[in-house]
Amino acid sequence: MKIGNLEIKGLAALAPMAGVTDGAFRNICEGFGAAYGISEMISARAMDFDDRKTAELADLSRDEGLVFLQIFGEDPACMARAAEKLLRYAPAGIDINMGCPMPKITGGGAGSALMKDPRRCGQVAAAVRKAVEGAGIPVTVKIRAGWDRDHRNAVEVAKRCEEAGAAAVCVHGRTREQLYQGRADWGVIRAVKEAVGIPVIGNGDVDGALSAGKMLAETGCDMVMVGRGALGNPWIFREINGHLRDESLIMPGPTLTERLLVMRRHIGLLCECKGEPRAMREARKHVGWYLKGMRGAAEFRRRAGELCTLADLDRLVEDVYRAAAST
Ligand SMILES: Cc1cc2nc3c(=O)[nH]c(=O)nc-3n(C[C@H](O)[C@H](O)[C@H](O)COP(=O)(O)O)c2cc1C
């Protein structure tokens, strides 16, 4: 499949998740077959002001395959300037956030609030597209079903963005009103797929190989995008790819050894990227997710919440092994 002139291998991409999908996690997911990744959302306004901390989110100096940088904002001119500045990081493409439900984002008219004004969605997409045209990279948009149950206008927004030159649209089948609750409505993904000619990426509640196959079959979408299903579970991409190649193939989950080794590699990378003190604070949630469901998980997850050094993590890993061996 192609997004613009970009050849995409695989049918499952890693969704953008603020505080989660940094370079370390994207690297790990790419290793398990994520077709591409999207950065955490980046404030166009802060990029425009050359904010140093914001620019760190755009760092793509590590080996992580195809990565789109995602921007949020509401002003087409500011979004265009930000996108142009992001070119210096050589992203595979630029993704525009039209789905974030957080009041601090929507309050200023960005994220999912953009969907209240489909014309503006088109203007933002057109401005960003024009800004990166010379670099020849695609611009994609990530939308929701709509603002609330009375304003489910994903089809209209997707069409506007397509007209404006977006190369693909990702649809999260929830409204802004739903936040992350309830089931995602895959019907809206299907409706968008039937309405536009650009690739449609389905998103919402893909938590394994079976649901990925089901979403592709039920909606006709070109690819799926996985968010929460990848937390502490980067193997999900291997499982999805295996199953889609051969429907009878349900890959076994990782062994305990693989789970712990990958977790250790992920957190080691995080330390290389961000320095140990900050990385270990951020590692706590990841370690909690990796250990979910294991024997003695409650106590181990409590300890995960107190990690300060890589040596703490190594002790925790040894104790997890010991607990598993004693059964
Ligand atoms: C912790 C977290 C952070 C998120 N941050 C972003 C973000 O920065 N940009 C974005 O477009 N969506 C963001 N999302 C939404 C996800 O990309 C995705 O659309 C949503 O989680 C539904 O997919 P899922 O059911 O596979 O998790 C975030 C979701 C979570 C759970």
Side-chain angles (χ1 to χ4, degrees):
M1 174 188 125
K2 280 185 137 189
I3 295 184
N5 55 10
L6 207 61
E7 189 70 49
I8 307 287
K9 297 199 181 83
L11 292 174
L14 173 65
M17 287 183 281
V20 178
T21 54
D22 53 18
F25 191 55
R26 294 193 303 258
N27 173 290
I28 296 290
C29 290
E30 200 253 343
F32 283 105
Y36 65 90
I38 306 189
S39 70
E40 305 171 74
M41 60 181 173
I42 297 170
S43 160
R45 203 160 293 281
M47 255 338 271
D48 199 22
F49 286 134
D50 293 317
D51 179 65
R52 200 176 44 82
K53 271 195 101 53
T54 301
E56 275 175 24
L57 294 173
D59 178 30
L60 298 177
S61 54
R62 295 190 178 258
D63 178 22
E64 353 160 353
L66 296 179
V67 182
F68 281 62
L69 291 176
Q70 188 190 65
I71 47 174
F72 71 91
E74 75 299 336
D75 174 42
C78 174
M79 296 281 273
R81 287 194 299 275
E84 202 176 344
K85 286 189 176 173
L86 288 173
L87 290 178
R88 72 174 76 123
Y89 302 96
I94 300 289
D95 185 63
I96 304 173
N97 182 323
M98 298 188 183
C100 180
M102 279 160 32
K104 72 172 183 195
I105 306 294
T106 57
S112 54
L114 271 177
M115 290 188 71
K116 291 197 221 174
D117 185 349
R119 213 165 59 96
R120 180 171 280 258
C121 292
Q123 288 164 349
V124 167
V128 172
R129 159 115 207 277
K130 188 151 179 285
V132 302
E133 208 165 33
I137 60 169
V139 171
T140 56
V141 294
K142 183 161 174 287
I143 66 176
R144 281 187 174 242
W147 179 257
D148 60 24
R149 73 192 76 181
D150 298 324
H151 301 90
R152 296 167 56 84
N153 61 351
V155 167
E156 185 188 358
V157 170
K159 280 174 145 175
R160 292 267 186 179
C161 292
E162 178 179 38
E163 278 160 25
V169 55
C170 172
V171 186
H172 174 194
R174 286 188 180 80
T175 61
R176 188 268 175 182
E177 183 183 46
Q178 287 177 285
L179 303 172
Y180 295 99
Q181 288 143 18
R183 299 295 300 171
D185 170 13
W186 290 359
V188 73
I189 300 170
R190 184 178 185 89
V192 171
K193 176 64 194 169
E194 284 166 358
V196 299
I198 52 177
V200 173
I201 299 133
N203 173 239
D205 299 340
V206 172
D207 59 2
L210 292 178
S211 50
K214 198 158 176 264
M215 180 187 268
L216 287 163
E218 283 183 10
T219 70
C221 67
D222 301 274
M223 285 184 73
V224 300
M225 186 173 277
V226 183
R228 290 162 299 171
L231 301 178
N233 187 32
W235 304 271
I236 191 168
F237 296 102
R238 182 174 69 189
E239 289 165 19
I240 292 175
N241 290 335
H243 180 63
L244 294 180
R245 268 196 301 274
D246 173 359
E247 267 192 18
S248 65
L249 188 66
I250 302 290
M251 309 270 290
T255 60
L256 177 68
T257 304
E258 184 178 23
R259 185 174 286 275
L260 295 176
L261 277 175
V262 170
M263 175 178 82
R264 178 62 175 78
R265 185 150 54 82
H266 175 181
I267 307 307
L269 256 179
L270 200 58
C271 288
E272 278 174 34
C273 296
K274 301 186 179 179
E276 191 169 351
R278 175 176 162 200
M280 292 312 297
R281 280 195 303 278
E282 295 186 12
R284 293 169 188 165
K285 58 178 182 279
H286 288 289
V287 172
W289 290 324
Y290 278 108
L291 298 181
K292 213 164 142 189
M294 281 184 190
R295 176 171 292 278
E299 170 59 13
F300 291 138
R301 292 176 79 186
R302 186 196 61 71
R303 279 175 60 189
E306 296 171 352
L307 292 170
C308 290
T309 63
L310 266 180
D312 291 343
L313 180 63
D314 288 337
R315 272 189 296 276
L316 180 60
V317 166
E318 272 174 32
D319 291 346
V320 172
Y321 262 125
R322 207 167 294 133
S326 69
T327 58

